[in-house]
Every structure is written in C-alpha cells, then in structure tokens.
Amino acid sequence: MYYIIIQKISVKSHPWLSRIASLTFGIYLSHFIFTFVCYDMYDIAALPYILRILLAAVTTFAISMCLTWLMSKTRTLSRILAVL
C-alpha cells in the first residue's frame, strides 16, 4: 500500500537535486567518519538533544557532500572512482 502511494508521488527534476543525487554513494561512504565528530562537537554546547542531532546531521551531510564533490572534481581521484 505504501509502495503504491509513494510511486504516485511525482517530484520535479531540479539541476541541484540531480547534482546531489550523483554524489549520494560517496556521501554514504564518507558520512560515518564525520558523524561522531560532529555529534561530539555539538555535545560541548548546552543544547537540547534534538537540536544537537539535527545540527550534527546537517553538518555531517554538508561536509560529506563537499568532500565527495571535491573528490569528483579531482582528475586523478575521479579516474580511480570511475574504475571502482
């Protein structure tokens, strides 16, 4: 039932969304490195837990996306990644 509902949803294609989608595998592979670092970074501040988790998630995503984007723009790394 949920599959049919989700299948009926149409999402407009945007260039920025396509660029992020092309980086998702690299983001997936690198996000684990930054997850605990970001969570510990926001643990110092006296913030509510939900805010810490949201800030850590957004920061982790941004750092992982930037790292993956930089790796895709480097000629040598992009050749290596294309082989993998």
Side-chain angles (χ1 to χ4, degrees), residues 61-74:
F61 177 76
I63 292 171
S64 298
M65 187 177 72
C66 290
L67 177 69
T68 306
W69 180 77
L70 285 173
M71 289 175 67
S72 72
K73 294 300 177 187
T74 307

Side-chain angles (χ1 to χ4, degrees), residues 1-9:
M1 182 172 134
Y2 295 116
Y3 178 75
I4 295 170
I5 293 171
I6 292 173
Q7 191 176 20
K8 298 289 182 186
I9 296 173

Side-chain angles (χ1 to χ4, degrees), residues 12-25:
K12 293 182 181 180
S13 178
H14 296 284
W16 60 271
L17 192 57
S18 297
R19 277 185 247 130
I20 292 174
S22 68
L23 301 173
T24 54
F25 188 63

Side-chain angles (χ1 to χ4, degrees), residues 45-61:
L47 298 172
Y49 287 112
I50 189 71
L51 190 58
R52 284 187 218 169
I53 292 169
L54 289 173
L55 284 172
V58 169
T59 307
T60 299
F61 177 76

